[in-house]
Coordinates of all heavy atoms in Angstrom, one line a residue:
M1 N 0.8 -1.2 0.0 CA 0.0 0.0 0.0 C 0.9 1.2 0.0 O 1.9 1.3 0.7 CB -0.9 0.0 1.2 CG -1.8 1.2 1.3 SD -3.0 1.2 2.6 CE -4.1 0.0 2.1
V2 N 0.5 2.2 -0.8 CA 1.2 3.5 -0.9 C 0.5 4.5 -0.1 O -0.8 4.6 -0.2 CB 1.4 3.9 -2.4 CG1 2.1 5.2 -2.5 CG2 2.1 2.8 -3.1
T3 N 1.2 5.4 0.5 CA 0.5 6.5 1.2 C 0.9 7.8 0.6 O 1.8 7.9 -0.2 CB 0.9 6.6 2.7 OG1 2.3 6.8 2.8 CG2 0.5 5.3 3.4
A4 N 0.0 8.9 0.8 CA 0.3 10.2 0.2 C 0.2 11.2 1.3 O -0.5 11.0 2.3 CB -0.8 10.5 -0.9
K5 N 0.8 12.3 1.1 CA 0.9 13.4 2.1 C -0.3 14.3 1.9 O -0.6 14.7 0.8 CB 2.2 14.2 1.9 CG 2.4 15.3 2.9 CD 2.7 14.8 4.3 CE 3.0 16.0 5.2 NZ 3.0 15.6 6.6
V6 N -1.1 14.6 3.0 CA -2.2 15.6 3.0 C -1.7 16.8 3.7 O -1.1 16.8 4.8 CB -3.4 15.0 3.8 CG1 -4.5 16.0 3.8 CG2 -3.8 13.7 3.1
F7 N -2.0 18.0 3.1 CA -1.5 19.2 3.7 C -2.6 20.3 3.4 O -3.5 20.2 2.6 CB -0.1 19.6 3.2 CG 0.0 19.8 1.7 CD1 -0.1 21.0 1.1 CD2 0.2 18.7 0.9 CE1 0.0 21.2 -0.3 CE2 0.3 18.8 -0.5 CZ 0.2 20.0 -1.0
R8 N -2.4 21.4 4.1 CA -3.3 22.6 4.0 C -2.8 23.4 2.8 O -1.6 23.6 2.7 CB -3.4 23.4 5.2 CG -3.8 22.7 6.5 CD -5.2 22.8 6.9 NE -5.7 24.1 6.9 CZ -7.0 24.3 6.8 NH1 -7.9 23.3 6.9 NH2 -7.5 25.5 6.8
F9 N -3.7 23.9 2.0 CA -3.4 24.8 0.9 C -4.4 26.0 1.0 O -5.5 25.8 0.5 CB -3.5 24.1 -0.4 CG -3.0 24.8 -1.6 CD1 -1.6 25.0 -1.8 CD2 -3.8 25.4 -2.5 CE1 -1.1 25.7 -2.9 CE2 -3.4 26.1 -3.6 CZ -2.0 26.3 -3.8
G10 N -4.1 27.0 1.7 CA -5.0 28.1 2.0 C -6.1 27.5 2.9 O -5.8 27.0 4.0
N11 N -7.4 27.7 2.5 CA -8.5 27.1 3.4 C -8.9 25.7 2.9 O -9.9 25.2 3.3 CB -9.7 28.1 3.3 CG -9.4 29.4 4.1 OD1 -8.7 29.4 5.0 ND2 -10.1 30.4 3.6
S12 N -8.1 25.1 2.0 CA -8.5 23.8 1.5 C -7.4 22.8 1.9 O -6.4 23.1 2.5 CB -8.5 23.9 -0.1 OG -9.5 24.8 -0.5
Q13 N -7.7 21.5 1.6 CA -6.8 20.5 1.8 C -6.3 20.1 0.4 O -7.0 20.2 -0.6 CB -7.4 19.2 2.5 CG -7.6 19.3 3.9 CD -8.0 18.0 4.5 OE1 -8.9 17.3 3.9 NE2 -7.5 17.6 5.6
A14 N -5.0 19.6 0.4 CA -4.5 19.1 -0.8 C -3.8 17.8 -0.6 O -3.4 17.5 0.6 CB -3.5 20.1 -1.4
V15 N -3.6 17.0 -1.6 CA -3.0 15.7 -1.5 C -1.8 15.7 -2.5 O -2.0 16.0 -3.7 CB -3.9 14.5 -1.8 CG1 -3.2 13.2 -1.7 CG2 -5.1 14.5 -0.8
R16 N -0.6 15.3 -2.0 CA 0.5 15.2 -2.9 C 0.6 13.7 -3.3 O 1.0 12.8 -2.5 CB 1.8 15.6 -2.2 CG 3.0 15.7 -3.1 CD 4.2 16.2 -2.4 NE 3.9 17.5 -1.8 CZ 4.2 18.7 -2.4 NH1 4.7 18.7 -3.6 NH2 3.9 19.8 -1.7
F17 N 0.3 13.4 -4.6 CA 0.3 12.1 -5.1 C 1.7 11.6 -5.4 O 2.5 12.4 -5.9 CB -0.5 11.9 -6.4 CG -2.0 12.0 -6.3 CD1 -2.6 13.1 -6.6 CD2 -2.7 10.9 -5.8 CE1 -4.0 13.2 -6.5 CE2 -4.0 10.9 -5.7 CZ -4.7 12.1 -6.0
P18 N 2.0 10.4 -5.0 CA 3.3 9.8 -5.4 C 3.5 9.8 -7.0 O 2.5 9.8 -7.7 CB 3.3 8.4 -4.9 CG 2.3 8.4 -3.8 CD 1.3 9.4 -4.2
K19 N 4.7 9.8 -7.4 CA 4.9 9.9 -8.9 C 4.2 8.9 -9.7 O 3.7 9.2 -10.8 CB 6.4 9.7 -9.1 CG 6.9 10.0 -10.5 CD 8.4 9.9 -10.6 CE 8.9 10.3 -12.0 NZ 10.3 10.3 -12.1
Q20 N 4.1 7.6 -9.2 CA 3.4 6.6 -10.0 C 1.9 6.8 -10.2 O 1.3 6.1 -11.0 CB 3.7 5.2 -9.5 CG 3.0 4.9 -8.1 CD 4.0 5.0 -7.0 OE1 4.9 5.8 -7.0 NE2 3.8 4.1 -6.0
F21 N 1.3 7.7 -9.4 CA -0.1 8.0 -9.5 C -0.4 9.3 -10.2 O -1.5 9.8 -10.1 CB -0.7 8.0 -8.1 CG -0.7 6.7 -7.5 CD1 0.2 6.4 -6.5 CD2 -1.6 5.7 -7.9 CE1 0.2 5.1 -5.9 CE2 -1.5 4.4 -7.3 CZ -0.6 4.1 -6.3
R22 N 0.6 9.9 -10.9 CA 0.3 11.2 -11.6 C -0.7 11.0 -12.6 O -0.8 10.0 -13.3 CB 1.6 11.7 -12.2 CG 2.5 12.3 -11.2 CD 3.7 13.0 -11.9 NE 4.6 13.4 -10.9 CZ 5.9 13.7 -11.2 NH1 6.3 13.6 -12.4 NH2 6.7 14.1 -10.2
L23 N -1.6 12.0 -12.8 CA -2.6 12.0 -13.8 C -2.3 12.9 -15.0 O -1.6 13.9 -14.8 CB -4.0 12.5 -13.2 CG -4.5 11.8 -12.0 CD1 -5.7 12.5 -11.4 CD2 -4.9 10.4 -12.4
A24 N -2.7 12.5 -16.2 CA -2.5 13.2 -17.4 C -3.6 14.2 -17.6 O -3.9 14.6 -18.7 CB -2.3 12.3 -18.6
S25 N -4.3 14.7 -16.5 CA -5.4 15.5 -16.7 C -5.3 16.7 -15.7 O -4.7 16.6 -14.6 CB -6.7 14.7 -16.3 OG -7.8 15.5 -16.3
D26 N -5.9 17.8 -16.0 CA -5.9 19.0 -15.1 C -7.1 18.9 -14.1 O -7.1 19.7 -13.1 CB -6.0 20.3 -15.9 CG -4.8 20.5 -16.7 OD1 -3.7 20.0 -16.4 OD2 -4.9 21.3 -17.7
E27 N -8.1 18.1 -14.4 CA -9.2 18.0 -13.5 C -9.5 16.5 -13.2 O -9.2 15.6 -13.9 CB -10.5 18.5 -14.2 CG -10.4 20.0 -14.4 CD -11.7 20.5 -15.0 OE1 -12.1 20.1 -16.1 OE2 -12.4 21.3 -14.3
V28 N -10.1 16.3 -12.0 CA -10.5 14.9 -11.6 C -11.9 15.0 -11.1 O -12.5 16.0 -10.7 CB -9.6 14.4 -10.4 CG1 -8.2 14.2 -10.9 CG2 -9.6 15.3 -9.2
E29 N -12.6 13.8 -11.1 CA -13.9 13.6 -10.6 C -13.7 13.0 -9.2 O -12.9 12.2 -9.0 CB -14.7 12.7 -11.4 CG -15.0 13.3 -12.8 CD -15.7 12.2 -13.7 OE1 -15.6 11.0 -13.4 OE2 -16.3 12.7 -14.7
I30 N -14.4 13.5 -8.2 CA -14.3 13.1 -6.8 C -15.7 12.6 -6.3 O -16.6 13.4 -6.5 CB -13.7 14.2 -5.9 CG1 -12.4 14.7 -6.4 CG2 -13.5 13.6 -4.5 CD1 -11.9 16.0 -5.7
F31 N -15.7 11.5 -5.7 CA -17.0 11.0 -5.1 C -16.7 10.0 -4.0 O -15.6 9.5 -3.9 CB -17.9 10.4 -6.2 CG -17.3 9.2 -6.9 CD1 -17.5 7.9 -6.5 CD2 -16.5 9.4 -8.0 CE1 -17.0 6.8 -7.1 CE2 -16.0 8.3 -8.7 CZ -16.2 7.0 -8.2
C32 N -17.7 9.8 -3.2 CA -17.5 8.9 -2.0 C -18.2 7.6 -2.4 O -19.3 7.5 -3.0 CB -18.2 9.4 -0.8 SG -17.4 10.9 -0.1
R33 N -17.6 6.5 -2.1 CA -18.1 5.1 -2.2 C -18.0 4.5 -0.9 O -16.9 4.0 -0.5 CB -17.3 4.4 -3.3 CG -17.9 3.0 -3.6 CD -17.1 2.2 -4.6 NE -17.1 2.9 -5.9 CZ -16.1 2.8 -6.8 NH1 -15.1 2.1 -6.5 NH2 -16.2 3.4 -7.9
G34 N -19.0 4.6 -0.1 CA -18.9 4.1 1.3 C -18.0 5.0 2.1 O -18.2 6.2 2.1
D35 N -17.0 4.4 2.8 CA -16.1 5.2 3.5 C -14.9 5.7 2.7 O -14.0 6.4 3.2 CB -15.6 4.4 4.7 CG -16.6 4.2 5.8 OD1 -17.6 5.0 5.8 OD2 -16.5 3.3 6.6
D36 N -14.9 5.3 1.4 CA -13.7 5.6 0.5 C -14.0 6.9 -0.2 O -15.1 7.2 -0.6 CB -13.5 4.5 -0.4 CG -13.1 3.2 0.2 OD1 -12.5 3.2 1.3 OD2 -13.4 2.1 -0.3
I37 N -13.0 7.7 -0.5 CA -13.0 8.8 -1.4 C -12.3 8.4 -2.7 O -11.1 8.0 -2.6 CB -12.4 10.1 -0.8 CG1 -13.1 10.4 0.5 CG2 -12.4 11.2 -1.7 CD1 -12.4 11.5 1.3
V38 N -13.0 8.5 -3.8 CA -12.5 8.0 -5.1 C -12.1 9.3 -5.9 O -13.0 10.1 -6.1 CB -13.5 7.1 -5.8 CG1 -12.9 6.7 -7.1 CG2 -13.8 5.9 -4.9
W39 N -10.9 9.3 -6.4 CA -10.5 10.3 -7.4 C -10.2 9.7 -8.7 O -9.5 8.7 -8.7 CB -9.2 11.0 -6.9 CG -9.2 11.6 -5.6 CD1 -9.8 11.1 -4.4 CD2 -8.6 12.9 -5.2 NE1 -9.5 12.0 -3.4 CE2 -8.8 13.1 -3.9 CE3 -7.9 13.8 -6.0 CZ2 -8.4 14.2 -3.2 CZ3 -7.5 14.9 -5.3 CH2 -7.7 15.1 -4.0
R40 N -10.7 10.2 -9.8 CA -10.4 9.6 -11.1 C -10.3 10.7 -12.1 O -10.9 11.8 -11.9 CB -11.4 8.6 -11.5 CG -12.8 9.1 -11.8 CD -13.7 8.0 -12.2 NE -15.1 8.5 -12.3 CZ -16.1 7.7 -12.3 NH1 -16.0 6.4 -12.2 NH2 -17.3 8.3 -12.5
K41 N -9.6 10.4 -13.2 CA -9.4 11.4 -14.2 C -10.8 11.7 -14.8 O -11.6 10.8 -15.0 CB -8.5 10.8 -15.3 CG -8.2 11.7 -16.5 CD -7.2 11.2 -17.4 CE -7.8 10.1 -18.2 NZ -7.0 9.6 -19.3
K42 N -11.0 13.0 -15.0 CA -12.3 13.4 -15.6 C -12.5 12.9 -17.0 O -11.7 13.0 -17.8 CB -12.4 15.0 -15.6 CG -13.8 15.5 -16.0 CD -13.8 17.0 -15.9 CE -15.1 17.5 -16.4 NZ -15.1 19.0 -16.3
S43 N -13.7 12.2 -17.1 CA -14.0 11.6 -18.4 C -14.8 12.6 -19.3 O -15.8 13.2 -18.8 CB -14.8 10.3 -18.2 OG -15.3 9.9 -19.4
E44 N -14.3 12.8 -20.5 CA -15.1 13.6 -21.4 C -16.4 13.0 -21.7 O -17.4 13.7 -21.9 CB -14.3 13.9 -22.7 CG -13.0 14.7 -22.5 CD -13.3 16.1 -22.0 OE1 -14.3 16.7 -22.4 OE2 -12.5 16.5 -21.1
K45 N -16.5 11.7 -21.8 CA -17.8 11.1 -22.1 C -18.8 11.3 -21.0 O -20.0 11.6 -21.3 CB -17.6 9.6 -22.2 CG -16.8 9.2 -23.5 CD -16.7 7.7 -23.6 CE -15.8 7.4 -24.8 NZ -15.6 5.9 -24.9
S46 N -18.4 11.3 -19.7 CA -19.4 11.5 -18.6 C -19.8 13.0 -18.6 O -20.9 13.3 -18.3 CB -18.9 11.0 -17.3 OG -17.7 11.8 -16.9
A47 N -18.9 13.9 -18.9 CA -19.2 15.3 -18.9 C -20.2 15.6 -20.1 O -21.2 16.3 -19.9 CB -18.0 16.1 -19.1
R48 N -20.0 14.9 -21.2 CA -20.9 15.1 -22.3 C -22.3 14.5 -22.0 O -23.3 15.2 -22.3 CB -20.3 14.4 -23.6 CG -21.2 14.4 -24.8 CD -21.3 15.8 -25.4 NE -22.1 15.7 -26.6 CZ -23.0 16.6 -26.9 NH1 -23.3 17.6 -26.2 NH2 -23.7 16.4 -28.0
A49 N -22.3 13.4 -21.3 CA -23.6 12.8 -21.0 C -24.4 13.7 -20.0 O -25.6 13.9 -20.1 CB -23.4 11.4 -20.3
F50 N -23.6 14.3 -19.0 CA -24.3 15.2 -18.1 C -24.8 16.4 -18.8 O -25.9 16.9 -18.5 CB -23.3 15.6 -17.0 CG -23.9 16.5 -15.9 CD1 -24.7 15.9 -15.0 CD2 -23.6 17.8 -15.9 CE1 -25.3 16.7 -14.0 CE2 -24.1 18.6 -14.9 CZ -25.0 18.1 -14.0
D51 N -24.1 17.0 -19.7 CA -24.5 18.1 -20.5 C -25.8 17.8 -21.3 O -26.7 18.6 -21.3 CB -23.5 18.6 -21.5 CG -22.3 19.2 -20.8 OD1 -22.4 19.7 -19.6 OD2 -21.2 19.3 -21.4
L52 N -25.9 16.6 -21.8 CA -27.1 16.2 -22.6 C -28.3 16.0 -21.6 O -29.4 16.4 -22.0 CB -26.8 14.9 -23.3 CG -25.9 14.9 -24.5 CD1 -25.5 13.6 -25.0 CD2 -26.4 15.8 -25.6
L53 N -28.1 15.5 -20.4 CA -29.1 15.3 -19.5 C -29.7 16.7 -19.0 O -30.9 16.8 -18.6 CB -28.7 14.5 -18.3 CG -28.5 13.0 -18.6 CD1 -27.9 12.3 -17.4 CD2 -29.8 12.3 -19.0
C54 N -28.8 17.7 -18.9 CA -29.2 19.0 -18.4 C -30.2 19.7 -19.3 O -30.9 20.6 -18.9 CB -28.0 19.8 -18.2 SG -27.1 19.3 -16.7
V55 N -30.3 19.3 -20.6 CA -31.2 20.0 -21.5 C -32.6 19.6 -21.3 O -33.5 20.2 -21.8 CB -30.7 19.9 -23.0 CG1 -29.4 20.4 -23.2 CG2 -30.8 18.4 -23.4
F56 N -32.9 18.5 -20.6 CA -34.3 18.0 -20.4 C -34.9 19.0 -19.5 O -34.4 19.3 -18.4 CB -34.3 16.6 -19.9 CG -33.9 15.6 -20.9 CD1 -32.7 14.9 -20.8 CD2 -34.8 15.3 -22.0 CE1 -32.4 13.9 -21.7 CE2 -34.4 14.3 -22.9 CZ -33.2 13.6 -22.8
P57 N -36.2 19.4 -19.8 CA -36.9 20.3 -18.9 C -37.3 19.6 -17.6 O -37.5 18.4 -17.6 CB -38.1 20.8 -19.7 CG -38.3 19.6 -20.7 CD -36.9 19.1 -21.0
D58 N -37.4 20.4 -16.5 CA -38.0 19.8 -15.3 C -39.5 19.8 -15.5 O -40.2 20.8 -15.7 CB -37.7 20.8 -14.1 CG -36.2 20.7 -13.8 OD1 -35.6 19.7 -14.0 OD2 -35.7 21.7 -13.2
V59 N -40.1 18.6 -15.4 CA -41.5 18.4 -15.6 C -42.1 17.8 -14.4 O -41.6 16.8 -13.8 CB -41.7 17.4 -16.8 CG1 -43.2 17.1 -17.0 CG2 -41.1 17.9 -18.1
D60 N -43.1 18.4 -13.9 CA -43.8 17.9 -12.7 C -44.8 16.8 -13.3 O -45.7 17.1 -14.0 CB -44.6 19.0 -12.0 CG -43.7 19.9 -11.3 OD1 -42.6 19.5 -10.9 OD2 -44.0 21.1 -11.1
R61 N -44.5 15.6 -12.9 CA -45.3 14.5 -13.4 C -46.3 14.1 -12.3 O -46.0 14.1 -11.2 CB -44.3 13.3 -13.5 CG -44.4 12.6 -14.8 CD -43.3 11.6 -14.9 NE -43.3 10.6 -13.8 CZ -42.6 9.5 -13.9 NH1 -41.9 9.2 -14.9 NH2 -42.5 8.7 -12.8
D62 N -47.5 13.9 -12.8 CA -48.6 13.4 -11.9 C -48.7 11.9 -12.1 O -49.5 11.5 -13.0 CB -49.8 14.2 -12.2 CG -50.8 14.3 -11.0 OD1 -50.3 13.9 -9.9 OD2 -51.9 14.6 -11.1
D63 N -48.1 11.1 -11.3 CA -48.1 9.7 -11.5 C -49.5 9.2 -11.1 O -50.1 9.5 -10.1 CB -47.1 9.0 -10.6 CG -45.7 9.1 -11.1 OD1 -45.6 9.3 -12.3 OD2 -44.8 8.9 -10.4
T64 N -50.1 8.3 -12.0 CA -51.4 7.7 -11.7 C -51.2 6.5 -10.9 O -50.1 5.8 -10.9 CB -52.1 7.4 -13.0 OG1 -51.2 6.5 -13.8 CG2 -52.3 8.6 -13.9
P65 N -52.2 6.2 -10.0 CA -52.0 5.0 -9.2 C -52.0 3.7 -10.1 O -52.4 3.7 -11.2 CB -53.2 5.0 -8.3 CG -54.2 5.9 -9.0 CD -53.4 6.8 -9.8
P66 N -51.5 2.6 -9.5 CA -51.4 1.4 -10.3 C -52.9 0.9 -10.7 O -53.8 1.2 -10.0 CB -50.8 0.3 -9.4 CG -50.4 1.1 -8.2 CD -50.9 2.4 -8.2
Q67 N -52.9 0.2 -11.8 CA -54.2 -0.3 -12.3 C -54.7 -1.4 -11.3 O -54.0 -2.2 -10.8 CB -54.1 -0.9 -13.7 CG -53.7 0.1 -14.7 CD -53.5 -0.6 -16.1 OE1 -53.6 -1.8 -16.2 NE2 -53.3 0.2 -17.1
E68 N -56.1 -1.5 -11.1 CA -56.7 -2.6 -10.4 C -56.9 -3.7 -11.3 O -57.4 -3.5 -12.4 CB -58.0 -2.1 -9.8 CG -57.9 -1.0 -8.8 CD -57.3 -1.5 -7.5 OE1 -57.5 -2.7 -7.1 OE2 -56.6 -0.7 -6.8
R69 N -56.4 -4.9 -10.9 CA -56.6 -6.1 -11.8 C -57.1 -7.2 -11.0 O -56.9 -7.3 -9.8 CB -55.2 -6.5 -12.4 CG -54.7 -5.4 -13.3 CD -53.5 -5.9 -14.0 NE -53.0 -4.8 -14.9 CZ -52.1 -5.1 -15.8 NH1 -51.6 -6.3 -16.0 NH2 -51.7 -4.1 -16.6
E70 N -57.8 -8.1 -11.7 CA -58.3 -9.3 -11.0 C -57.2 -10.3 -10.7 O -56.2 -10.3 -11.4 CB -59.3 -10.1 -12.0 CG -60.5 -9.3 -12.2 CD -61.4 -10.2 -13.1 OE1 -61.3 -11.4 -13.2 OE2 -62.3 -9.5 -13.8
G71 N -57.3 -11.0 -9.6 CA -56.3 -11.9 -9.2 C -56.3 -13.1 -10.1 O -57.2 -13.3 -10.9
L72 N -55.2 -13.9 -10.1 CA -55.1 -15.1 -11.0 C -56.0 -16.2 -10.5 O -56.3 -16.7 -9.6 CB -53.7 -15.6 -11.0 CG -52.7 -14.6 -11.7 CD1 -51.3 -15.1 -11.6 CD2 -53.1 -14.4 -13.1

């Protein structure tokens, strides 16, 4: 297991990655998975998918109750 140094950078925290974990990207996606914090290179595909989803209008849907059916 490899460890990394965590330090303060102004009012934020920063992590100094060891050389073997350097990313070829200027941005990363960060999310929690249980107790783990996951950092990964930002994917252009996921950013494009999010942009496409944002164009859908917010629609207030009035869901109808389930149909009444006879038992078998």
Side-chain angles (χ1 to χ4, degrees):
M1 179 176 290
V2 178
T3 60
K5 182 75 175 166
V6 178
F7 58 97
R8 304 262 316 160
F9 189 76
N11 289 330
S12 300
Q13 279 188 321
V15 177
R16 187 177 306 266
F17 286 103
K19 188 176 183 178
Q20 69 258 33
F21 294 105
R22 286 188 183 162
L23 300 171
S25 176
D26 292 337
E27 292 184 298
V28 294
E29 296 172 337
I30 305 169
F31 59 93
C32 291
R33 185 182 296 151
D35 290 337
D36 298 329
I37 299 172
V38 180
W39 301 44
R40 68 180 176 198
K41 184 172 74 169
K42 186 176 176 182
S43 169
E44 292 299 322
K45 291 180 182 179
S46 63
R48 176 74 176 133
F50 183 73
D51 289 341
L52 291 172
L53 289 173
C54 287
V55 300
F56 289 109
D58 290 334
V59 177
D60 288 332
R61 231 172 54 167
D62 203 14
D63 285 339
T64 57
Q67 297 175 354
E68 295 290 329
R69 298 186 180 196
E70 292 181 26
L72 295 175

